[in-house]
Amino acid sequence: METKYKSVLEFSKLTRIFHWIRALAIFALIATGFYLAYPFLSANPDYEIYSLSRIWHISIGFLLIAISIFRIYLFVFTKECQMERRSFLDLINPIVWFQILKTYLLLGGHPHNKGSYNPLQLVTYIAIMILIILISLTGLILYTHIYHQGLGGFLMPIMKPLEVLCGGIANVRLIHHILTWAFIIFIPIHIYMASWNAVKFPGSGIDTIVSGLRFEKDETHQ
């Protein structure tokens, strides 16, 4: 009998759009951030390029913050992200953990996930969201340290205690830099694992974040 498949909506349109915008934003922030830390495009500092890089870095940083806040809202509250929330059912299942670790060690097939993510993916994505929150907060502290009026003045009373908690503005810069390297390490690993999943188990890798659909065997036609 011919095997029938059905499509399941794994990622909503907004989730996919936000994923790619955040990816591009992170790449842009890394590039502009390194230039701000070390203006390497000229032997003598070009203040026009430096100022432009700072404007882009700040603008894209606020874009990342806005999208991340909206993304958290979508994940927690919307019906379209119900499939993603169901991933927590696998997260607390030790059997699924054992099966997915066997998969990545090439000792077994991919288990059937109740949600969009397997347990290891969900833990990783939660960790990345925490990283985004931390790097956004340190970025806001640095922003209020330079801009004392407007939004900077409004955020100053909120960010100042966090600056003190970090041990001063020098430590904030160091933490911001270290968190940037955490993203730099994560990105190639993420791309490799998503590509590996797409090749090894079609329908569970990069293709799902592009189309939003996952294809499963339709048990009603067995």
Side-chain angles (χ1 to χ4, degrees), residues 86-97 114 118-119 122-123:
R86 290 180 61 188
S87 302
F88 284 100
L89 297 174
D90 289 329
L91 182 67
I92 59 176
N93 189 333
I95 296 176
V96 179
W97 267 103
K114 289 184 172 63
N118 66 53
L122 183 60
V123 169

Side-chain angles (χ1 to χ4, degrees), residues 33-46:
F34 270 105
Y35 183 74
L36 292 175
Y38 179 71
F40 51 82
L41 293 180
S42 174
N44 298 315
D46 188 323

